[in-house]
Structure formats: structure tokens, C-alpha cells
Amino acid sequence: ERYDNVVSATEIIRELPNLTELDRRAIRQMLLEIANRHEDVAACNQAATEGAMMFDRMEDEDARRPSR
């Protein structure tokens, strides 16, 4: 059986908030892998990834702190 489902970028973007964090991370990883095939994009993505990871760590640390 063959399925020919064409999904627009708009439809994909609209559904992203409905995905689990794990699924969104998998999608980000795939997009990074695709983008990293181009050297200039790879350098920018590396910097962006490092920044995002820093913010993720900061959010994790904030979540562990007792609220005042």
C-alpha cells in the first residue's frame, strides 16, 4: 500500500505545540542534521544549539530551586 500524504509547512508548524517535548527534540535534531550539510549553516546552527542548551540548563536549574 502506498500513501501520498502531502502536508504543508503551515500544517506542520501548527501541529508542533501538540507534540511531546521528546518528539519536538527529535524534530529539532533532524532539522539540524539536514541544515548541517551546508558548512555556513552548520556554524550558525552550532552557535544556536550551544545557546539553546545553555538556556535549557538555566531553566532546569530554575525549576530545581525552591520558589520564594
Side-chain angles (χ1 to χ4, degrees):
E1 235 178 288
R2 182 178 166 180
Y3 297 95
D4 288 325
N5 292 335
V6 177
V7 181
S8 72
T10 302
E11 291 171 305
I12 293 169
I13 292 167
R14 190 177 333 139
E15 289 300 318
L16 290 175
N18 300 325
L19 299 175
T20 66
E21 178 60 27
L22 185 62
D23 288 339
R24 287 192 302 269
R25 286 178 189 244
I27 290 168
R28 278 194 301 269
Q29 181 62 39
M30 177 57 68
L31 290 171
L32 281 172
E33 288 174 14
I34 292 168
N36 282 332
R37 294 177 188 162
H38 305 280
E39 286 184 35
D40 55 335
V41 175
C44 290
N45 282 340
Q46 182 63 34
T49 298
E50 289 171 5
M53 289 172 65
M54 179 186 68
F55 285 120
D56 284 347
R57 285 190 300 273
M58 291 169 66
E59 286 178 344
D60 288 344
E61 289 171 7
D62 286 345
R64 285 192 221 111
R65 287 191 191 122
S67 56
R68 293 181 182 198

